[in-house]
């Protein structure tokens, strides 16, 4: 059984490495004990996200419904023949991850199957389910059963997840609208999107980054550098977006070059070793 579990966890690691070099880099800077469970969480959320974003030639709703059913069944039974779901249920059951987080996540994924005009309430609900709860799942792992610590860090963890997701939305406005017909930001018409609209969104994101930082400093040291690295990477991407006009965002996807990512890694490592974070 341990061989099966280990193989399933390696499948989630493979998915993470294939889909996100940045997230993989962040995981590798965590304490080794956190690698497998965080890979398992990423593998789960990536599969669900792929269903709603990529599988255009298939019945997405049917696939997501089946994926959701199998998820709950795996958690309840403690086993699945789907390697990603088996790895995920191991983490859910070992770290007592709240089912509400899983339900909120899958609900947000289902929201992507329909056309929505996002008002502030629906936008907040989507952000919570698609991003904040993923941060809370990871926080459950990092706190290793310390519920007092978890409760203390919940709010900044949500802020960090929200900041990451909103930066993604801003970076991907062109492809989200062109390829999927989505505009997530409330009251934003992509046809009239301008610098003023962009600056309003950026002010909201800056507040999320500010609220998240104190929580990162309060994380267990074994998790701090990995989360900090993700924070500085997204902050760098955000600052790069801020310096560009709205027209650029609508025409070109902004990226952080690999050499810059490496420099951020080295800088984060030095700060970590000097106890500056």
């Amino acid at each position: 059984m341990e061989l099966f579990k280990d193989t399933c966890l390696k499948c989630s690691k493979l998915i993470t490495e294939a889909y996100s070099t940045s997230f993989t880099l962040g995981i590798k800077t965590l304490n080794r004990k956190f690698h497998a469970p965080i890979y398992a969480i990423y593998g789960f959320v990536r599969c669900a996200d792929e269903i709603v974003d990529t599988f255009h030639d298939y019945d997405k709703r049917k696939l997501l419904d089946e994926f959701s059913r199998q998820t709950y069944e795996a958690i309840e039974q403690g086993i699945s023949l789907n390697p990603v779901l088996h790895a995920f249920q191991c983490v859910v059951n070992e770290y007592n991850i709240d089912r509400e987080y899983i339900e909120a996540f899958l609900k947000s994924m289902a929201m992507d199957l329909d056309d929505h005009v996002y008002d502030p309430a629906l936008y907040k609900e989507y952000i919570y389910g698609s991003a904040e709860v993923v941060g809370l799942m990871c926080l459950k792992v990092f706190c290793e059963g310390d519920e007092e610590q978890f409760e203390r860090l919940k709010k900044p963890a949500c802020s960090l997840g929200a900041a990451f997701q909103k930066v993604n939305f801003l970076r991907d406005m062109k492809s989200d609208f062109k390829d999927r017909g989505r505009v997530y930001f409330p009251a934003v018409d992509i046809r009239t999107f301008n610098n003023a609209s962009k600056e309003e969104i950026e002010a909201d994101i800056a507040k999320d980054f500010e609220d998240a930082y104190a929580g990162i400093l309060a994380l267990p040291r074994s998790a701090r550098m990995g989360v900090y690295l993700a924070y500085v990477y997204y902050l760098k991407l955000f600052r790069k977006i801020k310096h560009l006009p709205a027209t650029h965002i609508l025409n070109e996807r902004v990226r952080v070059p690999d050499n810059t990512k490496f420099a951020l890694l080295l800088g984060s490592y030095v700060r970590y070793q000097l106890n500056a974070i």
Side-chain angles (χ1 to χ4, degrees):
M1 198 62 203
E2 282 302 310
L3 177 60
F4 178 65
K5 177 182 176 181
D6 183 59
T7 304
C8 291
L9 289 167
K10 287 178 179 176
C11 288
S12 291
K13 178 183 178 182
L14 181 65
I15 290 170
T16 308
E17 290 173 338
Y19 278 93
S20 178
T21 55
S22 300
F23 206 85
T24 299
L25 188 61
I27 293 174
K28 288 182 176 179
T29 57
L30 298 168
N31 186 288
R32 185 171 293 276
K33 65 183 175 181
F34 295 140
H35 290 190
I38 302 302
Y39 281 133
I41 291 171
Y42 183 89
F44 168 75
V45 301
R46 172 50 58 190
C47 284
D49 197 56
E50 284 301 296
I51 291 171
V52 300
D53 278 357
T54 306
F55 301 160
H56 305 305
D57 295 330
Y58 301 90
D59 187 335
K60 296 180 181 181
R61 193 175 303 279
K62 182 178 179 181
L63 288 173
L64 185 62
D65 286 346
E66 183 64 15
F67 184 78
S68 300
R69 184 191 66 77
Q70 290 179 3
T71 296
Y72 295 124
E73 188 176 83
I75 294 168
E76 185 66 28
Q77 295 183 357
I79 192 170
S80 175
L81 294 181
N82 179 321
V84 170
L85 293 183
H86 184 73
F88 182 64
Q89 71 79 22
C90 287
V91 175
V92 170
N93 287 316
E94 180 177 353
Y95 292 94
N96 295 312
I97 291 175
D98 197 318
R99 303 298 190 276
E100 186 271 329
Y101 300 152
I102 300 165
E103 291 166 5
F105 171 74
L106 291 171
K107 183 177 180 181
S108 283
M109 293 301 96
M111 288 167 68
D112 276 334
L113 298 176
D114 299 312
D115 293 330
H116 290 290
V117 176
Y118 283 86
D119 60 24
L122 195 61
Y123 175 67
K124 184 177 180 180
E125 180 183 359
Y126 183 86
I127 292 286
Y128 175 74
S130 65
E132 293 180 18
V133 298
V134 179
L136 293 177
M137 291 182 204
C138 294
L139 184 61
K140 273 285 189 178
V141 173
F142 299 149
C143 291
E144 299 183 277
D146 187 336
E147 287 301 314
E148 182 180 342
Q149 184 181 55
F150 176 78
E151 290 298 323
R152 188 169 64 250
L153 296 176
K154 274 178 71 173
K155 187 174 179 180
C158 286
S159 294
L160 188 63
F164 289 174
Q165 184 68 296
K166 292 170 187 176
V167 170
N168 286 339
F169 288 166
L170 196 53
R171 178 194 62 188
D172 296 335
M173 279 190 73
K174 176 186 175 183
S175 61
D176 277 340
F177 182 74
K178 181 180 178 182
D179 300 336
R180 305 173 189 96
R182 303 174 192 160
V183 178
Y184 290 102
F185 296 112
V188 168
D189 185 336
I190 199 166
R191 294 165 296 185
T192 59
F193 184 67
N194 55 30
N195 289 337
S197 303
K198 179 173 170 285
E199 288 169 7
E200 186 175 342
I201 292 167
E202 289 166 348
D204 178 52
I205 296 173
K207 178 66 165 57
D208 284 328
F209 272 117
E210 180 182 342
D211 292 344
Y213 186 68
I216 294 172
L217 298 183
L219 280 168
R221 186 164 173 79
S222 52
R224 198 177 306 153
M225 183 180 162
V227 178
Y228 178 77
L229 180 61
Y231 167 87
V232 295
Y233 165 69
Y234 265 90
L235 189 60
K236 183 70 174 180
L237 177 61
F238 174 56
R239 287 172 174 168
K240 190 172 182 179
I241 290 171
K242 280 187 71 177
H243 284 96
L244 296 169
T247 51
H248 186 103
I249 302 302
L250 296 180
N251 287 286
E252 185 176 336
R253 192 175 192 265
V254 181
R255 299 178 183 274
V256 175
D258 288 342
N259 61 339
T260 302
K261 291 179 184 178
F262 184 68
L264 293 173
L265 170 62
L266 289 180
S268 299
Y269 179 75
V270 170
R271 287 177 60 82
Y272 179 78
Q273 290 299 319
L274 294 175
N275 289 316
I277 54 171

